[in-house]
Amino acid sequence: MYVPSKFSLDEEDAWEIVRDAGAGMLVVASPSGLESVYVPVIVADDRRTIRCHVARANPWWRLINDGMDVLGLFLSASAYVSPTNYPSTDMDPGVVPTWNYVAAEVRGRITVHDDPAWLNHQVRELTEHFEMDRSPAWRVDDAPPAYIDRQLKAIVGLEIDVVAVQGKAKLSQNRPAIDHDTVRDNFARGNLAERIVATRMNNE
C-alpha cells in the first residue's frame, strides 16, 4: 500500500482500523490467480494472530496451504471528494476530484483449522465480540446445541500469523485548511459514508 508520510498512521491506529472495520477481504495467490474472501475477524489481544472462519462449501479455503502468504484489506471510512468542496479554487482552479478514506492492510501467513473445539471457541469469541454492546445480547447457547453442532460442521477455521500491519488515513491533509474544513463540514451533512469520513476528519 502506498502511504505518503502525511497520510501514515502508527501501528496502534492501524489496528484500530481493523477493529472498526470488523470484517475485511483476505487475498491469496493461487495457481489460477488471486482469490479473495470477505470475512469478519477477531484480533488476538497480543495482535500476533487474526482468527476467522469461512463456509466449508466455499472453495477459497481449499486453495490454501498452511504457511501461505495472505493479505488482509480493511476499510473503515470511504467517500468521494468533489472539487466543489474547495473554496480555494477561486484562487487556484487547478484541482481534480479525489477520494478520502481510512484503510489498513495486514500481511501474514495463514493456517486452516478443522478442529471442532477450535471452531467452537472461535465462533463464541466472534459472537461475544460483536454482541458485547447490544442489549439484549445474543449468545451461541441461545440456539439449540444440535443446531450449533451442525453449523460448526459447515465451517472451516482460518488463523493468520501477523507479519506486518500498515494503516493509512487520507483525509484532505494535503489541502489548504479552508478546503479541509469545508470537505469535513459538507460531509457532516451528507450521506452515511460521508458522515463517517467527517468523523474521522474531526479526530485526525
Side-chain angles (χ1 to χ4, degrees):
M1 181 165 63
Y2 172 58
V3 187
S5 59
K6 66 182 63 179
F7 303 144
S8 180
L9 298 175
D10 62 24
E11 186 172 315
E12 183 73 23
D13 288 336
W15 281 117
E16 189 73 8
I17 294 168
V18 177
R19 184 193 69 79
D20 287 348
M25 193 74 71
L26 302 183
V27 183
V28 295
S30 76
S32 59
L34 297 176
E35 301 285 350
S36 67
V37 66
Y38 189 71
V39 289
V41 301
I42 290 291
V43 179
D45 290 341
D46 62 7
R47 295 171 176 168
R48 294 177 62 185
T49 60
I50 292 176
R51 295 180 294 275
C52 56
H53 64 263
V54 296
R56 187 176 296 275
N58 187 333
W60 188 87
W61 70 272
R62 297 186 185 277
L63 303 171
I64 297 169
N65 296 314
D66 286 353
M68 180 182 286
D69 289 337
V70 62
L71 176 67
L73 303 172
F74 300 87
L75 183 68
S76 63
S78 172
Y80 170 77
V81 182
S82 169
T84 60
N85 284 289
Y86 298 155
S88 70
T89 56
D90 291 343
M91 296 175 288
D92 181 7
V95 295
V96 293
T98 189
W99 209 275
N100 277 4
Y101 60 93
V102 180
E105 69 172 33
V106 178
R107 294 179 180 271
R109 297 185 179 91
I110 196 164
T111 301
V112 175
H113 288 277
D114 203 16
D115 175 62
W118 192 98
L119 291 168
N120 189 305
H121 176 77
Q122 196 276 328
V123 166
R124 290 175 181 275
E125 185 180 38
L126 188 77
T127 303
E128 289 169 7
H129 175 76
F130 288 108
E131 290 281 341
M132 64 182 171
D133 294 327
R134 300 181 64 84
S135 181
W138 185 86
R139 306 297 180 197
V140 171
D141 291 331
D142 291 341
Y147 175 80
I148 295 299
D149 287 344
R150 290 196 301 273
Q151 294 299 303
L152 290 175
K153 290 182 175 68
I155 63 175
V156 174
L158 304 170
E159 186 169 31
I160 299 168
D161 290 322
V162 176
V163 173
V165 61
Q166 188 174 34
K168 180 177 182 179
K170 182 181 176 295
L171 297 170
S172 300
Q173 302 98 315
N174 57 327
R175 298 299 307 168
I178 190 172
D179 291 351
H180 172 281
D181 293 349
T182 302
V183 171
R184 180 199 61 207
D185 294 345
N186 287 342
F187 276 2
R189 298 187 295 269
N191 60 36
L192 177 59
E194 292 168 341
R195 295 197 303 272
I196 292 171
V197 171
T199 299
R200 290 286 191 171
M201 295 177 75
N202 272 327
N203 296 335
E204 66 175 297

